[in-house]
């Protein structure tokens, strides 16, 4: 089933799973790989995109699998989580940061998935289906601060 069949669809081909406002733009993530289906302005993207001046934009190819969560931090980064393992040639473990130009790895999960994110003043909280995150044994909930994961569950 293609929700865009027979009409000009402006936006993602399926409903986004995650929204975040970052650098004055709405960012979306989910299971979509195309935006603006059936228009002359089709955008192929890797499960993540943002709206700038009324037009959807790609984020360096995005990820190789769906995004389940996005969060915008006060230090100028966007955090994405999901079932992905790569962005272009960068190996990832289901969580990554975006600085407005490039994706960077954050130590993540090798088995399981991060389903949700929350930001504290100086940390990132992750929740999902995992037993370990980074090099830390953590059952489903963890906090990432100053480059280190700490178990909360």
């Amino acid at each position: 089933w293609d929700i865009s069949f027979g009409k000009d669809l402006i936006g993602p081909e399926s409903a986004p799973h995650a929204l975040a406002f970052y650098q004055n733009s709405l960012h979306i993530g989910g299971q979509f790989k195309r935006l603006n289906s059936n228009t002359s302005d089709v955008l192929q993207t890797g499960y993540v995109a943002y709206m700038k001046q009324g037009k959807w934009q790609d984020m360096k190819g995005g990820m190789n699998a769906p995004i389940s969560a996005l969060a915008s931090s006060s230090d100028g980064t966007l955090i994405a989580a999901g079932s992905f393992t790569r962005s272009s040639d960068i190996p990832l473990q289901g969580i990554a940061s975006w600085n407005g130009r490039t994706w960077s790895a954050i130590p993540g999960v090798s088995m399981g998935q991060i389903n949700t994110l929350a930001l504290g003043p100086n940390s990132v909280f992750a929740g999902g289906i995992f037993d370990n995150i980074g090099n830390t044994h953590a059952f489903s909930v963890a906090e990432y601060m100053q480059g280190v994961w700490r178990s909360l569950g």
Side-chain angles (χ1 to χ4, degrees), residues 2 9 12 15 20 31 45 50 55 71 96 98-99 133 142:
D2 182 352
L9 178 67
Q31 293 188 357
T45 186
Y50 69 99
K55 188 173 179 178
W98 171 259
N99 65 8
I133 189 164

Side-chain angles (χ1 to χ4, degrees), residues 10 12 36 64 68 73 78 82-83 110-111 113 116 120 126 128 137 150:
I10 306 300
N36 305 331
N64 68 338
S68 55
S73 71
L78 179 71
S83 57
S110 57
M111 300 272 302
Q113 179 176 323
T116 189
H137 180 71
R150 181 172 70 98

